[in-house]
Amino acid sequence: MKLERKHALVLVAIAVWNVVTYVTFIKNLAATDDRPTGYYVAHTVLIVVNLGIAGLLGTWGVKAYKASKASPAKVDAL
C-alpha cells in the first residue's frame, strides 16, 4: 500500500499531538501528591506506551512523506 503525502502529514500530526499531550501529562503527573504507587506505575506505563506509539507513527509518517516526495503518486481521473 502506498501512502500519499496527505496521509503522511496526518501521521506526523498525530505523533506530534501525542507527544505534546503526553509531555503535559508528565508535568501534571509529577505535580500530584499523595497517590498510591500503583497510580504512578500505571500512568507511567501509559505514558511510555503512548510515546512509543507516537514515535512509531512519526517514523512511518516521515518515511511515507519522503517516499511520496521521491515518486509522486499518480492521481487517477474519476
Side-chain angles (χ1 to χ4, degrees):
M1 180 172 136
K2 184 168 177 140
L3 297 175
E4 295 178 14
R5 187 172 292 168
K6 63 184 174 184
H7 300 123
L9 293 175
V10 168
L11 288 173
V12 171
I14 292 170
V16 168
W17 178 254
N18 272 351
V19 169
V20 169
T21 57
Y22 277 93
V23 166
T24 303
F25 188 44
I26 291 168
K27 290 177 186 177
N28 292 337
L29 185 62
T32 59
D33 293 329
D34 301 329
R35 298 283 186 166
T37 304
Y39 176 84
Y40 293 108
V41 169
H43 285 87
T44 301
V45 168
L46 210 123
I47 290 167
V48 169
V49 167
N50 279 293
L51 289 177
I53 290 170
L56 182 66
L57 291 177
T59 302
W60 285 348
V62 169
K63 285 182 180 180
Y65 185 77
K66 286 180 180 179
S68 70
K69 269 180 106 171
S71 59
K74 294 179 182 176
V75 178
D76 294 333
L78 294 176

